[in-house]
Amino acid sequence: KAGVTQTPRYLIKTRGQQVTLSCSPISGHRSVSWYQQTPGQGLQFLFEYFSETQRNKGNFPGRFSGRQFSNSRSEMNVSTLELGDSALYLCASSLRPTVGRGNEQFFGPGTRLTVL
Amino acid sequence: GENVEQHPSTLSVQEGDSAVIKCTYSDSASNYFPWYKQELGKGPQLIIDIRSNVGEKKDQRIAVTLNKTAKHFSLHITETQPEDSAVYFCAASYGSGNTGKLIFGQGTTLQVKP
């Protein structure tokens, strides 16, 4: 069974640009969560999608947005990039929009975004 | 508020020794506590988890203990091997887990010396 896939794996952008990252969950998984990982702040929750609906959002500015498609694939978008947006963006998938035994979250390899 | 404190930030042990990583959470409603291992260039990998109705769980060389009263949970790795070297993250469910949101600790870099 294929794991969570994220594309692209690496991305270099300049300040002011926008970027779109993609995540394909494990087959059969319908819930997708996004996290930002930085050395200073660690892993921080961005948002969560289930059935094409955003169910939860972390404490990030409106420049960060996302969506989910009917096949459960998800994208996140960051507009007007800032230097501080440089991070590893991780996607996690699970069967349902909860966490717990029998509904574990599995992470993809991440997209490394560098903003110059 | 939602917060998970993790200690130590770095841990160096000799191969064969045990390693212990400790976490404290703030949300008394949290009821699910996974541990992830992250190797260089990879995403976090779930290695063990525990629910709040269980005090201890073991899987081969890895065990997790939970003290819900004190809001503490710990990861124990016995007979460490060089391949255990990685960054380990503890996490707690946000609230009672009726959401996919996890609150993560800051991570522990474990180095196992051969």
Side-chain angles (χ1 to χ4, degrees):
Chain A
K1 196 168 178 180
V4 179
T5 58
Q6 292 188 245
T7 56
R9 291 294 312 277
Y10 302 92
L11 207 48
I12 299 176
K13 293 285 187 179
T14 56
R15 280 180 299 174
Q17 288 187 308
Q18 74 165 15
V19 66
T20 299
L21 313 180
S22 180
C23 170
S24 292
I26 292 171
S27 177
H29 284 194
R30 297 172 58 200
S31 181
V32 172
S33 296
W34 288 88
Y35 292 83
Q36 181 196 65
Q37 185 176 25
T38 59
Q41 299 298 316
L43 278 147
Q44 291 191 294
F45 175 81
L46 278 158
F47 25 63
E48 169 197 4
Y49 287 90
F50 176 74
S51 292
E52 303 176 63
T53 301
Q54 187 181 92
R55 296 186 74 248
N56 211 342
K57 191 177 192 308
N59 189 25
F60 280 83
R63 300 184 297 107
F64 291 82
S65 63
R67 59 177 175 169
Q68 187 180 35
F69 301 95
S70 58
N71 62 357
S72 296
R73 190 177 70 85
S74 178
E75 289 181 347
M76 67 163 283
N77 183 277
V78 188
S79 61
T80 320
L81 284 166
E82 300 178 0
L83 296 178
D85 296 334
S86 294
L88 180 67
Y89 289 88
L90 292 160
C91 164
S93 82
S94 59
L95 286 167
R96 300 178 297 279
T98 59
V99 287
R101 292 287 294 153
N103 192 45
E104 297 85 357
Q105 280 195 2
F106 297 94
F107 282 83
T111 294
R112 173 73 62 185
L113 172 65
T114 301
V115 182
L116 303 176
Chain B
E2 52 193 67
N3 188 47
V4 176
E5 295 285 337
Q6 182 172 347
H7 298 282
S9 57
T10 60
L11 181 58
S12 182
V13 301
Q14 287 295 136
E15 182 178 0
D17 287 350
S18 295
V20 180
I21 302 170
K22 298 182 178 182
C23 291
T24 303
Y25 61 98
S26 60
D27 186 353
S28 57
S30 294
N31 63 1
Y32 174 67
F33 307 92
W35 286 86
Y36 287 86
K37 173 184 180 182
Q38 187 174 26
E39 296 173 315
L40 204 58
K42 297 183 178 181
Q45 176 192 1
L46 180 67
I47 56 172
I48 196 168
D49 56 9
I50 191 168
R51 284 198 65 92
S52 59
N53 57 349
V54 176
E56 184 173 0
K57 181 180 175 183
K58 189 174 182 180
D59 183 4
Q60 299 182 344
R61 297 186 297 108
I62 294 174
V64 57
T65 58
L66 171 66
N67 182 331
K68 196 163 171 63
T69 302
K71 298 182 189 172
H72 291 168
F73 58 114
S74 301
L75 178 71
H76 304 252
I77 306 175
T78 59
E79 301 171 21
T80 53
Q81 301 165 2
E83 51 264 41
D84 294 330
S85 296
V87 180
Y88 290 81
F89 292 94
C90 63
S93 61
Y94 174 70
S96 58
N98 191 27
T99 167
K101 181 178 179 179
L102 290 171
I103 310 301
F104 283 85
Q106 288 294 313
T108 296
T109 300
L110 173 63
Q111 180 187 28
V112 180
K113 300 176 184 177

